[in-house]
Amino acid sequence: MLKKALILGFFISHVCCQRFNEFHFADPFSQSWNWHSRHNLFPEERDVEEITEREREPLGPNYQDPVQAGTDEKPVLQPKPQKPSFNPSAIPGGVVDVDAAPGAAPFPGTFPESDFGFSSFGGGQYPGGGGSLLGLGGFFGSVSDLKPWWKGPNVCIEREESADDEDDDEEDAGEAIEAKKNETENQTEKVPNFFSTAISLSNCRQSANKYECVTKINNHGVVKTFTVRYKCCYGFMRTKGTSGCEKQLELKPLLDTINDLDAKVFRNLVQSTGLEDTFKNGNYTVFVPTDVALNEFNEKMTELNNVDLRGDAKNALSNNELVLSHAVAGFVDLTDYANEDIIYSENKNSSIRINTYPTQNYEEKMVTVNCARITKPNNLASNGIAHLIQGVAVPATQSLQDIIKEHRKLTSLRKALESTDSFKNLRENGHYTIFAPTDEAFDKLDPAVKQKLLRGDACAVSIIKHHVTAHTVCSAAINGNATTHNIEGDILNLERNSDDQLILEEKSKIIESDIMATNGVIHLIDTILIPDSALHINAALKNENLTKFNELIQEAGFAEDIDNLNNATVFAPSNEAFEDPAVVKKLEEIKGDKEKLRDLILYHTLSGQLQSCDMNNNAVLKTNDHDKELRLNLYSTLPLFTNVINRATINCARVVGFDEKSCGSVIHEVSKVLLPPTQNILDLIHSESKYSTLSSIIKDTEVEKILQENNRSITFLAPTDETLAAVDEADLKTLKEDKDKATTVLKNHILTEVLCCSGVGPQSWGFNSLVPTMSRQHLQVGRTGSHQIRIGRAVVTSCDNLATNGVVHTVNKVLFPQRPTSPSFGGFFLFDF
């Protein structure tokens, strides 16, 4: 359904449009939709605890860390992540609404709390749990004896210092290094701003096995960020009820640790490829595939004649490359990484993408590497870390663009992307998921529709966007029912059925999943999804039950032409609008004249998409009907919220439905058929016999010129002959003969902006809506009952008579200017009325 009229604040601030005309736009739902649903696959992490300022370990003026209790400082062996994430919450984008019964077992491959260390024990700062003074020893021990765990033994410290004006994200690698170098060289030359204030702000966070404080110091305009991170030293872990990290792990060599994971097939690969000495003599992190995963991978490789999953022999993996694709130099502790972080393997520096997904249990999370689920993480060795994965981390060596261009099953998709010039919108450093229709999926379409899609007509872009998300969705994250959103903001439903098949939108089956690229992942699907937003305009009109307008298009023989409109706006009249007698008469006059019918249809269309948030009051819009104009007005009809714009009109027809997408265009439903005005206000008054007296009064006054100026946008309140006849005879004579006095009275009938009847809200006691007149006075306006509209002391008896320079309303009283609030000598006697 079109989004109907209840849109309080719909136009305020004009930020309601979230446009995704290019794929590289930021994901709108990554931050603006912070859904705290129990079934959200991307909620804020719940294992992070805020620490108050008074609990923070203070930083001295010379940035010296406090002396630890019970241990010397030990260096942290593992390297810091390339993109340290101080706040691991608010994972961007993602899959939401996982269908999980209460008490259900977690996903296989999730991280139970014991794998990463213990939780906060009711606060996590003090041994014994809870940090309460009434806990064990609360009455018998000194409060000062209770220490945070991170002040205990075997806790190591990492320090970081950075200037806030660094912005490596906007520079390439070489420029970033040079900028960093120049900044270091010139640091002492920076001149502080002595007129600014010295401010220090700190934020501390604690997770199960890490305590981190980030302090921002603004010293007279020079801003720096200091970070202190406390962690268990390598080889130690926390145990419940103790301070620090007292449990020391037995660290074996990396290969022995892999043996203990019972990954015999991978261990044999290491031996057969001659890489044993490599893993014995260096420090490595290895993502170890299970035996089942490697055997299934080998079977698939055999079926594909020893070529990789993309069906291209040049990308086939040797056993040596397969092993190195799972190895990363140094120590990679997964708790240091956030969703969509990238690390690089020893196989030609191929990328490994880390993704984090919540599960049914908020205290548990699923982590994948190149979409292979990690089942047993962070197995520490003396010279590395081993992570057991339930899959093979196929290396990502090509971009999404390159894969689609070369894949033998995606030739039709490649043509559609090329014809719409969509490849350029996939950023090289992005995070995308493409549900890619195969050639067989294209063949299922009607031949005419397929050709239009391959040619890249208006609907092709909408269809393509419907299949792309701005975040990585791995198949492992889909268990039961789940939803995600594409780059247009539309929800996509996913399901893993009882046969372990992945279904998209209940229509399309994922026939091949997790084809990894350097900037995302591809899943092959067997059916193309045609969203409502990709319907042609005629189909969209039928879909929204705007059938009368659709019939008019068919009668004019204009169906194909209007379907070919691209990047257009259509104001479609409701079916009820065609019952207006004036419309019935007009359509009878032009019946059978296809040229005039087409002009009428084109008068309801604009070039370019005018979405609701782009609408501005009193805007004049050029239509496709020989540049004839429509006038757009915005109103507030809420007595208590006069600054809230909640209503829009086009040529005084109320816009009752907004922003229905259609094949690269947008449709708004309006309450009237839009008939172009042909006369200015003065000509309209002269042409109506009921205004003959008014015409004689206007003649030769200043107002006569005002009412015929086409650059105006005004409202004229026109009294009829009957109304003027009720005026005192002497006053009426004065109006006819004294042109200056007539001008003063007539200007009180001219509102300085267009006021349509549907823009008048209900009249409420204590709240007055005022409109300015050209006489510099204000008239109170309001709607009483369901229909009667009052302007000043007059009632509007006929609404919205459109003119080229505004609108005319018939009123039942003459609106004489009000009596001055202070005595005035020589004033007009007319003011007493």
Side-chain angles (χ1 to χ4, degrees), residues 367-494:
V367 177
T368 62
V369 287
N370 279 8
C371 285
R373 182 185 305 161
I374 297 179
T375 57
K376 193 173 182 181
N378 291 340
N379 301 278
L380 304 185
S382 59
N383 64 324
I385 303 177
H387 307 284
L388 189 67
I389 61 176
Q390 192 176 356
V392 174
V394 178
T397 58
Q398 293 180 291
S399 67
L400 293 167
Q401 297 92 315
D402 292 336
I403 293 174
I404 293 172
K405 288 176 181 179
E406 297 179 7
H407 201 293
R408 53 193 173 87
K409 294 182 180 180
L410 300 177
T411 57
S412 295
L413 178 61
R414 173 178 56 79
K415 291 178 183 177
L417 288 169
E418 288 175 344
S419 61
T420 55
D421 200 22
S422 294
F423 276 122
K424 68 178 182 181
N425 298 319
L426 296 168
R427 287 194 311 177
E428 292 293 335
N429 61 342
H431 317 288
Y432 305 102
T433 301
I434 299 180
F435 297 97
T438 62
D439 293 342
E440 289 77 6
F442 276 82
D443 290 339
K444 292 181 180 179
L445 296 173
D446 179 89
V449 175
K450 176 183 175 181
Q451 288 306 312
K452 286 185 177 181
L453 188 52
L454 294 179
R455 289 198 306 267
D457 76 346
C459 292
V461 174
S462 297
I463 293 172
I464 289 170
K465 288 182 178 181
H466 193 68
H467 292 75
V468 182
T469 76
H471 45 266
T472 305
V473 181
C474 292
S475 63
I478 305 169
N479 193 306
N481 295 321
T483 57
T484 187
H485 49 271
N486 63 23
I487 59 174
E488 291 276 71
D490 298 328
I491 296 297
L492 297 177
N493 296 298
L494 301 115

Side-chain angles (χ1 to χ4, degrees), residues 525-539:
I525 60 175
D526 67 350
T527 303
I528 294 178
L529 303 175
I530 308 294
D532 288 346
S533 60
L535 295 174
H536 285 88
I537 292 175
N538 276 295

